[in-house]
Amino acid sequence: MASAGLEAEQTEEMTVREAIRETLREEMDRDEDVFLMGEDIATMGGVLDVTGELHKQFGKDRVRDTPIGESGFMGAATGAAATGSRPVVEIMFSDFLGVAMEQVMNQMAKMRYMFGGKTEMPVTVRTTEGGGMGAASQHSGTVHAWIAHFPGLLAVAPGTPAAAKGLLKSAIRSDDPVFFFENKMIYEQSGEVPTDEDFTIPLGEASVEREGEDVTVVATQRLVGESLSVADELDGETDVEVIDLRSLYPLDTDTIVESLNKTGRLVVADESPLSYGVHAEVMARAVENAFYSLDAPIQRVGVPDTHIPFSPPLEGEVLPDGEKVRDAIERIA
Amino acid sequence: MPSIDLETETGRKEALRRMLTIRWFDTTAGERFADGEIPGFVHLYIGEEAVGVGACAALEEDDYITSTHRGHGHCIAKGLDPKPMMAELYGKREGYCNGKGGSMHIADVDAGMLGANGIVGAGPPLGTGAALTIDRKGEDRVALSFLGDGAVAQGQVHSAANLAATWDLPVIFLVENNHYGEGTPVEEQHNVENLSATAGAYNVPGITVDGMDVTAVNEAVLEARERARAGDGPTFIEAETYRFHGHFEGDEELYREDDEVERWEARDPIDSFAERLMDRGELTDEGFEELTTEAKATIEEALEYARSAEEPTPEEAYDDMFAVEVPEITSFAQQLRADGSGPKGGER
Ligand SMILES: Cc1ncc(C[n+]2csc(CCOP(=O)(O)OP(=O)(O)O)c2C)c(N)n1
C-alpha cells in the first residue's frame, strides 16, 4: 500500500503543529461550511497553540471560543453536522472527552445507522494525547483505543507532519465522524510536508516509513519517530521496518500482513494502555492473517495499564519510548 | 407563516385533526404492542397531544425539531407520514429508518425531524447544533428541542442551554412537564416549583404554560420563535401536561393514584379544544365524529401498510454504518455469518 515516497511532490519543511494549523487554514479557505469550535481556540490560539491566529483571518464566527461545556458543544457540533455544517471541534485534552461521551457514543456515532443511512455526520474532533509534560493523570491520557473500538467512529493518529496534513484533510472532507489524535510531544517535530492543497492520505492507509527485512515495528504518534531512530541505531545489526499505523480505524491490515510476510517478526508500539487496545487489535490481525509467517512471539510496547503519574521519574517509568522499542526488538531479533 | 395558523378556522381544524391522528396512532401502537406485534418497547404520547401540536403548528415546515423517547406525537405534529412511522415500529424496511431505529429513534432529517432519542436529555445539544448551522448560514429558520421534566436534570441540557444563550442561537427548549420521570414525581427530582426557572440561570425568558391547551402552547412558541429569529436567542418554555398511559406500555403505574389520572383525564386536550371549537360554532358533534373517523382510517391504513411491508434482509444489518465502505465490517461479517454469505466486497 502507501509508502513514505513523497519525492515526486513539492514539499516544505514544517512542524506537526504548523502542518495542522496550515491544513485548517486551507480547508477553511476551501469550504465555507468548515468552522472550528473549542475552548480558548480563538484569542488564545489554543492552549497548545495549534489554532494560532486563525481567528484573525476567518473571524470569530468561524473560529469559535466555546464555554467550558464539552457535552454541550460536542452535542452542538453533532447537531450542526447533521444539518449541513462541517464542524472541527477541539477537545483541549483527550481526558476531557469523558464529559462529552454521551453525544459522541449515542448521537454522533449512531445517528447515521439508526436513521437508516439518511444522515451525514461530517464532524472532525481534534484532541491532544500523551504523557511527557509532567501534566499528571488528568491531562496525559491516551484514549484513542476507546474511540477506535466504538462502532461508527473513525480514528486517526498521525506520526509525522505529512501524515498530520494528509489525514486532517481527509478527516475534514469525510462525511463520517473522524477523531484526530495529536500527541502533544510531537508538535515541534518537523519534516517535509507536501504543499499541494489537495494532498490527502486516505483514511485506513498505513505508511511504511522505513523498509527492513528482519523485524516489523508497527508504531503510532511519538513512537514512530522514536522507532525510526532505533532502527537507525540498529542499522547493520538488525534490519528494522517501521510502519506508521496512522489510521486506527479503519486499520490497514494489508500493509501489516505484507510486512510480516517479509520479516516474520512484529513489535507493536503505541502509547495507550496495553490491555484490550490498539496493540491487541494489531496482534489479532497479524495472527488472523499472517499466522504462518510469524517466527517469534509478538511484542508490545505501551503503558502498563497505569495512569500517567506526575513526578518525572515515575512518568518516565511508565511511558513507552525508543529504549523500550529497542528492547522489544532485541528480544525477538 | 406558521405551518398551521391557529388564528384561522382551517388551521384550528387541522390542529384538531393532528391531535386526533396522534391519539389514534398511539392507541393503535399500544394495542398492537400488547398483542406482541410490535417489538421492543413503546412510550405513548396520549394526553400530551396539545404540546406537540401547539408547538409544531407555530414552526414553519423547514424548522428543525429534536424529540425524546416519547416521540410519535412530535413526528405527527411535525407532519411526518404515519405509514413509514408505523412501518418503523414494526421494524420494516419501509420504515423511516429502514427498520434500524424503531419507536425510540424515528427520524426524518429532510422534514426537519432530527430524531426521537433513547437518551434522556440528548436532544437539546443537537437542537443547539442545528441552530448553530442556521446561525452560521444566515438561514431564516429555528430549531425546537422537546425534553421531559426528568431530562431537565441532565448536565448536557444545561451545557447546551448555556451555549445557546451565550451565542444567541435560534433554538427553543420546550419542557413537557408530564409530572413524572418514569415512576418518580417531578417534585422528587427538582427543587424548583416551575422548571421554567431554569431560564434564569441563562438570562433568557422562561415561561410556564398550560400544556393541555393547544393555543397556549402555540402562542408561547410563536413568541419564542420570533425572538429566536430576531437574533435574541433561546427561550425556555415549560408546558404542564400529563401522560394518560404508563411510562411505557405494560407499566403497572404503582407510583400514582387513579383519581389523579382521572382529574387530568377530565382536562383531555382534545376534548377541551373540540368543545371550544363547538362553542365558536366551528365544529358540530358530527364534524368531530367525522374527524375522528378520518383519523382512525389514516391509522388503519398505516397499520395495513406496516403489516404488509417487507422485513429487511438480515444482511442489511451491515449497511449504513459509514458514508464510506469500511473493510472491517465487510470482512468480519463475511467471516462470522453462519452460512458464510456476508455482504459483498471487502475481500481479504
Ligand atoms: C440517560 C438516560 N438515563 C435514563 C434513561 C431511562 N429513562 C427512559 S425515559 C426516562 C424518564 C424520562 O422522564 P422525562 O424526561 O420526564 O420524560 P417523560 O418520560 O416523562 O416523557 C428514563 C429515566 C434513559 N433512557 N436515558
Side-chain angles (χ1 to χ4, degrees):
Chain A
M1 272 209 158
S3 77
L6 302 169
E7 304 83 18
E9 303 167 54
Q10 277 243 309
T11 62
E12 188 185 321
E13 164 121 3
M14 51 174 95
T15 64
V16 167
R17 178 184 282 115
E18 285 161 350
I20 296 170
R21 186 187 301 141
E22 291 318 304
T23 303
L24 292 172
R25 191 191 308 278
E26 287 173 14
E27 290 305 288
M28 289 178 78
D29 247 338
R30 189 185 60 81
D31 183 351
E32 275 282 312
D33 290 341
V34 176
F35 68 97
L36 315 184
M37 61 198 271
E39 291 157 10
D40 293 319
I41 65 168
T43 316
M44 256 185 82
V47 288
L48 293 147
D49 192 28
V50 174
T51 45
E53 300 200 325
L54 290 174
H55 71 284
K56 290 199 173 151
Q57 181 178 350
F58 297 103
K60 285 198 160 186
D61 172 55
R62 293 188 68 197
V63 183
R64 287 182 174 246
D65 278 329
T66 62
I68 306 157
E70 286 79 2
S71 58
F73 72 75
M74 187 69 90
T78 305
T83 51
S85 299
R86 301 188 91 81
V88 180
V89 182
E90 177 174 310
I91 296 287
M92 201 182 265
F93 290 88
S94 63
D95 311 74
F96 311 160
L97 270 175
V99 182
M101 271 318 265
E102 151 49 23
Q103 287 291 323
V104 173
M105 63 189 280
N106 284 314
Q107 314 302 327
M108 187 188 288
K110 292 179 183 170
M111 278 169 77
R112 170 188 291 279
Y113 186 78
M114 271 191 338
F115 295 179
K118 293 171 196 158
T119 334
E120 304 289 318
M121 192 48 70
V123 53
T124 302
V125 179
R126 293 181 38 245
T127 188
T128 61
E129 288 192 313
M133 280 175 70
S137 303
Q138 293 169 344
H139 292 71
S140 304
T142 298
V143 305
H144 53 234
W146 303 353
I147 297 291
H149 177 67
F150 200 87
L153 305 172
L154 304 181
V156 298
T160 65
K165 175 171 180 175
L167 289 170
L168 186 54
K169 292 231 164 202
S170 292
I172 294 172
R173 296 179 187 191
S174 164
D175 284 333
D176 292 312
V178 183
F179 281 68
F180 185 88
F181 290 100
E182 301 163 18
N183 182 285
K184 62 173 85 70
M185 301 311 286
I186 62 170
Y187 282 126
E188 285 302 310
Q189 180 180 309
S190 65
E192 292 299 320
V193 176
T195 50
D196 180 359
E197 297 201 351
D198 285 319
F199 165 69
T200 57
I201 293 171
L203 305 174
E205 265 190 27
S207 150
V208 179
E209 292 289 313
R210 181 190 200 278
E211 294 190 20
E213 298 291 326
D214 300 335
V215 175
T216 300
V217 176
V218 170
T220 62
Q221 298 177 320
R222 176 174 57 84
L223 293 172
V224 174
E226 303 220 3
S227 299
L228 286 168
S229 304
V230 168
D232 286 344
E233 285 163 31
L234 291 173
D235 204 19
E237 231 174 289
T238 308
D239 194 12
V240 179
E241 177 144 313
V242 178
I243 296 175
D244 178 1
L245 197 55
R246 305 195 302 201
S247 267
L248 307 173
Y249 192 89
L251 184 75
D252 186 352
T253 311
D254 292 346
T255 296
I256 298 167
V257 167
E258 208 174 294
S259 179
L260 283 181
N261 288 342
K262 181 171 59 172
T263 64
R265 291 178 158 76
L266 176 62
V267 172
V268 188
D270 173 75
E271 193 183 319
S272 52
L274 285 161
S275 293
Y276 295 98
V278 173
H279 310 86
E281 189 57 40
V282 173
M283 290 166 73
R285 305 280 177 109
V287 171
E288 279 176 347
N289 297 279
F291 183 76
Y292 296 106
S293 294
L294 290 172
D295 296 324
I298 303 171
Q299 303 294 309
R300 41 184 164 176
V301 176
V303 175
D305 291 4
T306 60
H307 300 301
I308 308 303
F310 168 65
S311 166
L314 299 179
E315 187 180 44
E317 168 63 24
V318 304
L319 279 187
D321 57 10
E323 206 180 304
K324 286 170 183 160
V325 174
R326 188 190 171 112
D327 291 346
I329 294 170
E330 286 174 346
R331 285 199 293 273
I332 53 171
Chain B
M1 267 297 286
S3 60
I4 303 175
D5 186 355
L6 295 192
E7 298 282 326
T8 68
E9 187 177 334
T10 346
R12 289 188 283 272
K13 283 248 175 72
E14 181 54 28
L16 185 60
R17 184 196 316 278
R18 290 225 180 154
M19 288 202 279
L20 281 164
T21 310
I22 294 171
R23 178 70 54 96
W24 288 108
F25 185 96
D26 267 4
T27 302
T28 307
E31 287 168 4
R32 300 290 83 89
F33 176 79
D35 293 347
E37 269 186 47
I38 294 174
F41 21 88
V42 297
H43 305 84
L44 303 185
Y45 200 61
I46 293 174
E48 306 187 31
E49 295 91 343
V51 185
V53 172
C56 291
L59 302 180
E60 291 192 21
E61 304 267 333
D62 65 354
D63 287 342
Y64 293 108
I65 63 166
T66 71
S67 172
T68 67
H69 59 287
R70 201 178 297 289
H72 307 164
H74 305 145
C75 291
I76 292 174
K78 189 73 176 80
L80 269 62
D81 180 351
K83 284 186 190 153
M85 280 179 63
M86 193 66 88
E88 190 56 40
L89 264 57
Y90 274 73
K92 299 296 181 71
R93 184 193 286 139
E94 282 87 342
Y96 269 114
C97 307
N98 304 356
K100 292 232 184 65
S103 163
M104 257 192 303
H105 304 291
I106 298 177
D108 183 6
V109 176
D110 291 339
M113 164 55 184
L114 297 173
N117 212 312
I119 303 296
V120 172
L126 298 171
T128 297
L132 180 54
T133 292
I134 294 167
D135 186 52
R136 285 211 55 252
K137 296 191 180 222
E139 296 169 341
D140 184 22
R141 22 162 50 165
V142 306
L144 181 146
S145 285
F146 290 101
L147 65 155
D149 47 284
V152 176
Q154 280 291 9
Q156 59 176 331
V157 169
H158 297 272
S159 188
N162 182 60
L163 185 71
T166 305
W167 288 359
D168 293 325
L169 295 177
V171 58
I172 300 160
F173 302 110
L174 178 42
V175 181
E176 304 183 306
N177 181 359
N178 63 16
H179 296 85
Y180 289 91
E182 295 213 1
T184 308
V186 63
E187 302 79 36
E188 291 178 27
Q189 302 200 41
H190 299 283
N191 198 35
V192 291
E193 195 174 333
N194 285 321
L195 296 172
S196 54
T198 299
Y202 309 110
N203 193 23
V204 299
I207 49 167
T208 296
V209 298
D210 180 1
M212 301 309 255
D213 178 350
V214 66
T215 53
V217 176
N218 186 252
E219 279 161 22
V221 176
L222 279 172
E223 204 172 301
R225 189 176 187 281
E226 278 323 299
R227 196 182 128 74
R229 285 180 59 222
D232 295 334
T235 302
F236 223 89
I237 302 171
E238 173 191 25
E240 293 230 50
T241 181
Y242 201 77
R243 63 168 152 72
F244 294 173
H245 280 227
H247 170 63
F248 50 84
E249 288 311 273
D251 176 0
E252 287 184 65
E253 297 180 59
L254 301 174
Y255 49 87
R256 62 184 188 182
E257 303 294 337
D258 289 348
D259 63 340
E260 178 185 288
V261 182
E262 280 157 24
R263 254 185 292 125
W264 281 93
E265 277 175 348
R267 300 190 51 214
D268 188 312
I270 297 182
D271 291 345
S272 60
F273 188 50
E275 273 163 33
R276 270 159 59 199
L277 297 193
M278 288 177 195
D279 289 346
R280 297 174 77 124
E282 293 175 359
L283 187 74
T284 59
D285 282 334
E286 297 75 54
F288 184 66
E289 279 310 308
E290 231 168 80
L291 281 177
T292 306
T293 311
E294 271 174 41
K296 285 183 177 172
T298 303
I299 300 310
E300 197 54 39
E301 230 179 281
L303 187 63
E304 284 314 307
Y305 179 83
R307 281 173 165 160
S308 58
E310 275 181 55
E311 302 271 13
T313 61
E315 303 83 293
E316 288 170 38
Y318 309 115
D319 293 343
D320 300 324
M321 280 297 295
F322 294 101
V324 292
E325 193 182 314
V326 163
E328 275 79 357
I329 295 170
T330 35
S331 81
F332 287 145
Q334 247 159 7
Q335 283 168 29
L336 298 178
R337 288 210 81 200
D339 61 358
S341 65
K344 288 178 275 300
E347 203 75 41
R348 169 153 293 135

